């Protein structure tokens, strides 16, 4: 008579393995989800001249359900400015002027950062247990540029969950870059102030956004929102944060814990 082996299915792991600083070159602050379920991961990228600490605090303050947070510090210090960091070279050492798209050092620095972030993503997925489709990126200004670059050009890790970029677009030098495969197929939200003197007017912002859309697949869901009476600053109004929180609520998946606790499912092996 054939024996029947009846087993209860293994429950999903609630806590992810915390990332190890020794596994990557970028410095970061990691916080597990406050509700004890590390189902998603939100990675935060600060702006030019900032550091990881304020964005680590922001990640904790957001208190997103079933979401761990990780704030990364840009790899390069800003010259002559203690405690300030940049994702790629931004200033001329001799004059202190901002570098223009004609300077190749900007793109070279972005490529270096892309490699470092890809290294960290590999660790988070392979060693820590996060799935790429449940990793979301959030960046401001230069940090937004990096977040978009990773999603669109990070060939090592594909199919990331989504990107929110506050006042940040791709570098102008990247207009000649070709999409990888069919392009990025996830979710993208870009917000920009209507009075942003760094990016430019609404028409200039729309042109930059079209470059992002060009590098996405037809399945990607992208949106651009202009915020009235806002300059080149981090999100600072209830209207903009409402848009951001709506993105999180609609795009971030969640486990149905109530259904899991009620399910009487068994694996039957002959």
């Amino acid at each position: 008579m054939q024996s029947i082996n009846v087993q209860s299915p293994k429950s999903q792991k609630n806590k992810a393995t915390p990332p190890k600083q020794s596994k990557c070159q970028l410095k970061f602050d990691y916080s597990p989800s406050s509700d004890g379920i590390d189902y998603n991961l939100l990675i935060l990228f600060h702006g030019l001249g900032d550091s990881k600490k304020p964005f680590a605090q922001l990640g904790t303050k957001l208190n997103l359900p079933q979401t761990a947070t990780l704030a990364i510090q840009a790899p390069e210090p800003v010259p002559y400015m203690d405690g300030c960091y940049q994702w790629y070279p931004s200033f001329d050492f001799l004059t202190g002027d901002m570098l223009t798209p004609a300077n190749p050092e900007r793109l070279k620095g972005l490529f270096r950062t892309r490699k470092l972030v890809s290294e960290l993503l590999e660790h988070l997925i392979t060693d820590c247990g996060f799935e790429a489709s449940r990793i979301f990126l959030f960046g401001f200004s230069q940090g937004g540029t990096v977040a978009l670059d990773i999603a669109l050009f990070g060939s090592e890790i594909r199919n990331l969950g989504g990107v929110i970029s506050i006042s940040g677009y791709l570098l102008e030098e990247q207009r000649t870059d070709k999409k990888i495969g069919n392009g990025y197929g996830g979710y993208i939200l870009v917000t920009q102030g209507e009075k942003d003197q760094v990016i430019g007017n609404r028409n200039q912002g729309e042109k930059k956004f079209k470059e992002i859309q060009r590098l996405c697949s037809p399945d990607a869901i992208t949106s651009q929102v202009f915020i009235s009476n806002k300059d080149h600053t981090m999100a600072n109004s209830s209207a903009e944060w409402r848009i951001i929180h709506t993105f999180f609520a609609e795009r971030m998946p969640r486990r149905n814990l109530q259904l899991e606790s009620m399910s009487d499912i068994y694996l039957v092996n002959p």
Side-chain angles (χ1 to χ4, degrees), residues 117-256:
V117 176
S118 296
E119 176 187 77
L120 175 56
L121 284 170
E122 183 66 37
H123 171 50
L124 291 166
I125 294 170
T126 303
D127 302 324
C128 302
F130 290 103
E131 290 191 14
S133 62
R134 297 202 293 267
I135 295 177
F136 289 75
L137 312 180
F138 179 102
F140 166 61
S141 190
Q142 199 179 86
T145 297
V146 173
L148 289 168
D149 177 79
I150 291 298
L152 298 172
F153 299 110
S155 58
E156 298 299 323
I157 305 295
R158 305 301 299 157
N159 303 317
L160 294 175
V163 181
I164 294 180
S165 177
I166 309 298
S167 305
Y169 295 90
L170 296 172
L171 291 181
E172 293 180 34
E173 305 94 293
Q174 294 181 272
R175 287 180 178 173
T176 58
D177 286 345
K178 298 180 180 179
K179 69 169 63 176
I180 298 177
N182 293 324
Y184 175 66
Y187 306 108
I188 292 178
L189 167 65
V190 178
T191 67
Q192 177 190 332
E194 290 187 340
K195 296 182 179 180
D196 194 319
Q197 299 180 12
V198 175
I199 295 173
N201 59 34
R202 188 185 188 103
N203 183 54
Q204 290 171 305
E206 289 174 345
K207 288 182 179 179
K208 291 176 181 291
F209 188 66
K210 287 181 180 178
E211 286 299 312
I212 294 171
Q213 292 178 308
R214 179 180 65 84
L215 296 162
C216 292
S217 76
D219 298 329
I221 298 178
T222 64
S223 58
Q224 180 185 35
V225 180
F226 288 90
I227 310 299
S228 60
N229 299 317
K230 182 191 174 187
D231 201 341
H232 192 76
T233 61
M234 180 58 181
N236 56 13
S237 68
S238 58
E240 187 170 6
W241 277 113
R242 193 177 304 115
I243 293 167
I244 294 168
H245 279 291
T246 298
F247 178 94
F248 287 139
E250 293 180 347
R251 307 308 182 194
M252 279 186 163
R254 298 181 192 174
R255 286 171 52 188
N256 190 326

Side-chain angles (χ1 to χ4, degrees), residues 89 91-92 98-108 171 173:
F91 300 99
D92 186 299
M98 293 288 291
L99 298 181
T100 67
N103 193 307
E105 293 306 313
R106 295 207 318 172
L107 203 54
K108 289 180 182 178
L171 291 181
E173 305 94 293

